[in-house]
Amino acid sequence: MKNKARHIDQVPPDKGHYIAGFVDGEGSFFISARKRNDYTSKWKFGLHFNVSNNDIVVLEVCKKYLGCGVIRESKPKFYTLEVQNRNTLKDFVIPFFRKYRFLSNKKKEEFRVFQEAFNLLETKIQTETDLEKFLQLR
C-alpha cells in the first residue's frame, strides 16, 4: 500500500466513512503540555493523533487514505498509527475528519477540543490567558 492519498478528494467515500468509524472506536486525539525550562516559553506543547489495532492491514488502509502517519509495533503483534507533526495534522488529519465525521458524541467532542487546541497553537500562545485556556483543554 504505497500510494497515499495526497488530497481529501482522492479518498473514496466508502473508505473515508470506514476510517472515521474505525477511529471513532479505536482512535484518540490528545493534547500535551509539559513544563520545560530549556524552552523560551517554558512549555512544550504537543498534539497527537493515533489509532491502534492488532491488524496492521487496517492501519495501513488508514495511513493510505489519511495520506500520512507512521505505523509502529507498540507491543508484540499490536500496532499504532501515529501523527504528531503539526503541519501534517493541519494538512491531512484535521481536514479528513472534518469531511468524514464521527458518530459518537464522545469522539466529536474530543475532536472539537483537539481543533481548538490546534488553533491556539497556530495563533501562538502569547498571554497567560492563552496558556490557561490551552492547559484547560488537555
Side-chain angles (χ1 to χ4, degrees), residues 16-29 49-52 62 66 96-97 100-111:
H17 292 296
Y18 172 80
I19 292 166
F22 183 71
V23 169
D24 201 340
E26 303 295 330
S28 64
F29 297 89
F49 161 73
N50 72 40
V51 60
S52 301
C62 291
L66 281 171
F96 185 94
F97 293 111
Y100 298 103
R101 300 187 179 269
F102 301 112
L103 292 180
S104 74
N105 288 331
K106 180 181 178 187
K107 193 62 67 186
K108 286 177 186 176
E109 178 62 9
E110 188 179 304
F111 185 59

Side-chain angles (χ1 to χ4, degrees), residues 53-55 72-80:
N53 200 276
N54 61 356
D55 187 347
R72 64 178 180 81
E73 190 170 17
S74 49
K75 53 186 171 183
K77 298 188 183 202
F78 194 78
Y79 306 92
T80 301

Side-chain angles (χ1 to χ4, degrees), residues 1 5 12-13 35 38 43 69 85 92 96 116 128 130:
M1 286 197 195
K35 280 199 161 220
D38 56 331
W43 288 90
N85 178 281
F92 295 97
F96 185 94
E116 190 175 339
E128 195 65 33
D130 293 340

Side-chain angles (χ1 to χ4, degrees), residues 87-103:
N87 287 330
T88 305
L89 290 165
K90 177 174 70 177
D91 295 340
F92 295 97
V93 175
I94 291 173
F96 185 94
F97 293 111
R98 281 183 178 155
K99 182 172 183 175
Y100 298 103
R101 300 187 179 269
F102 301 112
L103 292 180

Side-chain angles (χ1 to χ4, degrees), residues 59-77:
L59 297 179
E60 288 170 345
V61 168
C62 291
K63 180 179 177 179
K64 175 180 179 178
Y65 291 107
L66 281 171
C68 61
V70 174
I71 297 174
R72 64 178 180 81
E73 190 170 17
S74 49
K75 53 186 171 183
K77 298 188 183 202

